[in-house]
Amino acid sequence: MATILIVSLVAIYYNMIIAYVLFYLFASLTNNLPWQYCSNWWNTDLCLDHHVMRTGNGAVPFNLSNTVSPSEEYWSRYVLHIQESSGIGDPGRIRWNLCLCLLLAWVIVYLCILKGVKSSGKVVYFTATFPYLILIMLLIRGVTLEGAWLGIKFYLTPQFDLLLSPKVWIEAALQIFYSLGVGFGGLLTFASYNTFHQNIYRDTFIVTVGNAITSILAGFAIFSVLGYMSQELDVPVQEVAKAGPGLAFVVYPQAMTMLPLSPFWSFLFFFMLLTLGLDSQFAFLETIVTAVTDEFPYYLRPKKAFFSGVVCIVMFLMGLILTTEGGMYWLVLLDDYSAGFGLMVVVITTCLAVTRVYDMSPDALLQALLVYSIVKYQPSEYNGTYRFPLWAEILGILMGIFSCLMIPTGMVFAVLREEGTLWQRIQQASRPTMDWGPSLEENRTGMYVATLAGSQSPKPLMVHMRKYGGVTSYENIAFQVDKEIEEDDDESMM
């Protein structure tokens, strides 16, 4: 339940990011990119584009600290229209162009998950492979630009002193959670559709290595262009690079305006982001729909397409606040608090459960990072200038805590469903149920034979589980087996 709550919150704002990508994708279908010059109605006197920044001898006669790029004003003043909002408590009006893009994003997602993995699986064949073609094209174009080596050098030069900062390790862990989908349930959901004898070790190796190689290639493609941009603007690379939405919607679009055929490269870039974003969104929605339908298979499984549509509609309505003039403040709040703390708790709890069942040593690194993130908590900010009010911080903290509370709540319900004393209930609730094991009867071999319909007794499986990590609870038979095992041990000792 904790995972479903986290994934639901992430899916709401993640599709808003896809809506931004759609907005820029449509804006790229023009001869001149709208964020290329400062002659638009949304630009201010502070706007200064790179076309007039350089003089004949290559000097930059302007004080860049007091200027704003056209791409930044296009993002903040035209796309977001954030100048009409005073903060998170003043959302303002709905931006209907963003609202329509959000609606289109949800329609695309729904059509692709309409028939579950049968439809989304076929779409993923394209959305998971085509981005590599675009990435290679951007990489080739980037490394051939003048000054690309500046960005690549900055990208490859390690800063070992940062390894001493626990914050770097926390950000690294969260990045892996997002890029690999650890803790979000997507990998488990899709893996549940595999055959029983699927080689999961091979699949795990392919996914992890593929993720690492993709990240490295993307880094070369991005920083080569940033190096070119750094040389054109005559500023250090670290002043060009930005984290978060600023990189995708401000810095890189500005870099595209410096290239020949800039609308073409801009379209390719945002189309790549669209396909990558849809892949993640498919996983989020499939996780939510599959988890709920599996809990109520009799009612929802025959109507899975209808239920998927209801989920998409509800999340679209909940995401309308993000399409307002102050919607970016809400998006940042969701991004900072919905998944960070709660996701680490879910992953740590899962690791503890796995180590308990399989008798492994728990990983203390994640637990140490979680404690550090709590001790060194810092309030959320937007753009380095806006600090969220106290009520918004409390709301964000509650989002993270509420998802974590689902874990002990589920434990309490599991204990209450059992019979006996409190300790007996805890023992039974912490053991696998009788139907634990392979889903299909033909795969229930060996120790699972006793759980098949018509078997005389579940005792063989229970004895096996008692000796190798726990006993399944089946009414009061678990305690009978415990007692019999103890008697057998006493007799063997005598």
Side-chain angles (χ1 to χ4, degrees), residues 429-452:
S430 60
R431 294 162 172 167
T433 57
M434 276 304 302
D435 59 352
W436 182 84
S439 176
L440 301 179
E441 289 190 0
E442 57 263 30
N443 295 322
R444 286 185 173 268
T445 59
M447 67 176 182
Y448 301 107
V449 173
T451 65
L452 292 173

Side-chain angles (χ1 to χ4, degrees), residues 134-149:
I134 301 179
L135 183 62
I136 293 174
M137 294 174 63
L138 293 174
L139 176 62
I140 296 174
R141 185 68 184 99
V143 297
T144 56
L145 293 172
E146 185 179 357
W149 66 274

